[in-house]
Amino acid sequence: NASSLSADDFNDDFEAVTEEEVNQSLLDEEERSRAANFGVSLQDVGNICRKVPNLGVEIVHARSTVTVDDFRSRIQACLESPRSHAESSKMKRPEQVMIVNFSRPALHQSGSGHFSPIACWHASEDVVLLLDTARFKYPAFWVPVVELWQACATSDSEKMDPRGFLTLSR
């Protein structure tokens, strides 16, 4: 139960930042203007993440040679990645995180493209829990891996860039 956790329970080797702070520190004026007018594609977010020191970034377009089985294997690998060597009194976090870029309408939701991290995978049901970053609109939700893969194998409606996922590692 997460209700008993406090900020002191988490690793303190990273700092929370706001969207505005990211925009100001990692994007130049042209990039900020393009993001404000057209949103950001998978490639854009990957390029922004690559500006963060000591962060490994892999950008995978769903319509590449990656199959749904490869996607499932990568989900499992991220969620089973080695944990940090934080003190036992602190929450341990994975060394890798997967963020999916998907079409909301493909999952019967309103809106267009969206980014969400995968929190866990229920292997016997073959579903993943997405932590929605727009909690005011949708809470965290379970989605079958195959349906999520199909929602990732779409194109950005503004730029027609392919969607997919990012793997971030430290």
Side-chain angles (χ1 to χ4, degrees):
N1 183 344
S3 63
S4 63
L5 297 176
S6 72
D8 293 334
D9 294 318
F10 293 89
N11 286 321
D12 54 8
D13 61 343
F14 63 95
E15 180 180 331
V17 295
T18 66
E19 182 178 358
E20 184 59 31
E21 289 170 327
V22 169
N23 287 341
Q24 292 300 318
S25 64
L26 297 178
L27 302 178
D28 62 31
E29 187 62 39
E30 181 182 329
E31 291 169 320
R32 282 194 296 274
S33 175
R34 191 173 67 242
N37 291 318
F38 303 108
V40 290
S41 69
L42 177 67
Q43 191 69 45
D44 293 335
V45 172
N47 290 341
I48 291 167
C49 290
R50 285 184 171 143
K51 294 179 182 182
V52 176
N54 302 316
L55 183 66
V57 179
E58 179 185 21
I59 303 169
V60 179
H61 297 283
R63 288 184 293 172
S64 64
T65 58
V66 178
T67 67
V68 68
D69 291 328
D70 296 329
F71 180 56
R72 188 179 293 108
S73 295
R74 286 170 181 248
I75 291 168
Q76 183 177 9
C78 278
L79 295 172
E80 293 178 352
S81 67
R83 303 292 173 166
S84 67
H85 300 289
E87 300 170 26
S88 60
S89 64
K90 304 226 180 206
M91 296 287 292
K92 294 182 176 160
R93 59 190 168 99
E95 294 289 317
Q96 293 183 357
V97 175
M98 182 182 284
I99 299 172
V100 290
N101 175 218
F102 61 95
S103 164
R104 279 200 185 276
L107 297 179
H108 313 289
Q109 296 179 346
S110 64
S112 55
H114 193 60
F115 291 87
S116 287
I118 294 179
C120 61
W121 173 51
H122 190 287
S124 64
E125 297 291 326
D126 199 30
V127 294
V128 293
L129 179 64
L130 291 185
L131 299 180
D132 203 302
T133 55
R135 292 184 312 183
F136 64 91
K137 189 171 187 177
Y138 292 105
F141 62 97
W142 291 95
V143 61
V145 169
V146 171
E147 287 182 32
L148 179 58
W149 180 246
Q150 291 167 344
C152 289
T154 59
S155 294
D156 179 299
S157 60
E158 289 294 326
K159 300 182 189 180
M160 298 310 292
D161 286 344
R163 299 186 199 283
F165 62 90
L166 299 170
T167 301
L168 307 179
S169 58
R170 57 181 188 100

